[in-house]
Amino acid sequence: MINVTIWNEFRHEKTDEAVQKMYPKGIHGQLATVIGEECSVKTATLDEPEHGLTEKVLEETDVLLWWGHIAHDEVDDAIVQRVHDRVLQGMGLVVLHSGHLSKIFRKLMGTSCDLKWREDGKSARLWNVNPSHPIVAGVGEFIDLEHEEMYGEHFDIPAPDELIFVSGYPGSEVFRSGCVFRRGNGKIFYFQPGHETYNSYYNEKVQRVIKNAVHFCAPTENIYPTYGHYEGEDNK
Ligand code: ZN
């Protein structure tokens, strides 16, 4: 059983009626319902002590999901470093929607991770550009979302290790909306859908992708490698 921790900033849901209506249990609550069908799930939010991401919680986490938007700067640098260390050790990380500007994603990427955006309630089509990849199993050729925020290129990320989705929008913009990165022993998946006032996390294909990504990003059973001075097999 994969142990998943779903981290949500959980601020919009407390103050914005439209968001409360869309996600009455919080975005983390909706994601927990979905992922809980296949994995053991915990949630953590910004306003908890240590943002809910204690050493123990992270130690017991195979894959961490991250949704943040208006309070990226309030995330403590020491906690960001803690999550960063865990990713390098092999913990999976799934970064959702506006998490592209989170401290942890920018630290792992080493770039600004900035992009163009427009909140106009129009549609998006996410093209599956990597049909044999496990993240798109059961998803088909594309995902149509009736309403999603436009995120457009240029997306200032390093070239992804694997490109999974490219989105197109009615305004002709395009966006690399599903990207896999490897950092140290960890796997990272960035996935664009999930604006707080739209219903993307109720879409079955979006749910399928997130569940697939959790399985893909989970650590392998390989032992964490030994680093540092090495005697060699013959000198034991
Ligand atoms: Zn948004």
Side-chain angles (χ1 to χ4, degrees), residues 69 97-98 149 151 194-196:
H69 181 217
H97 189 61
S98 39
E149 185 174 6
Y151 274 12
H195 184 69
E196 63 274 10

Side-chain angles (χ1 to χ4, degrees), residues 66-120:
W66 195 278
W67 197 102
H69 181 217
I70 45 169
H72 294 312
D73 288 348
E74 292 180 45
V75 179
D76 195 296
D77 290 335
I79 306 293
V80 175
Q81 184 64 50
R82 189 183 283 171
V83 173
H84 188 268
D85 290 346
R86 280 287 293 132
V87 171
L88 298 189
Q89 286 166 7
M91 182 183 75
L93 179 68
V94 177
V95 176
L96 296 167
H97 189 61
S98 39
H100 70 94
L101 281 184
S102 62
K103 285 184 180 178
I104 182 60
F105 190 58
R106 286 188 297 149
K107 186 177 174 77
L108 284 160
M109 296 299 108
T111 56
S112 77
C113 300
D114 218 339
L115 46 78
K116 291 183 181 65
W117 61 273
R118 185 175 60 244
E119 196 186 326
D120 57 10

Side-chain angles (χ1 to χ4, degrees), residues 128-131 133 153 157 160-166 175-180 189:
N128 168 0
V129 297
N130 203 332
H133 199 282
E153 296 285 341
I157 47 172
D161 294 305
E162 294 174 284
L163 187 57
I164 313 294
F165 287 104
V166 173
F175 186 67
R176 288 169 290 172
S177 49
C179 304
V180 167
F189 180 57

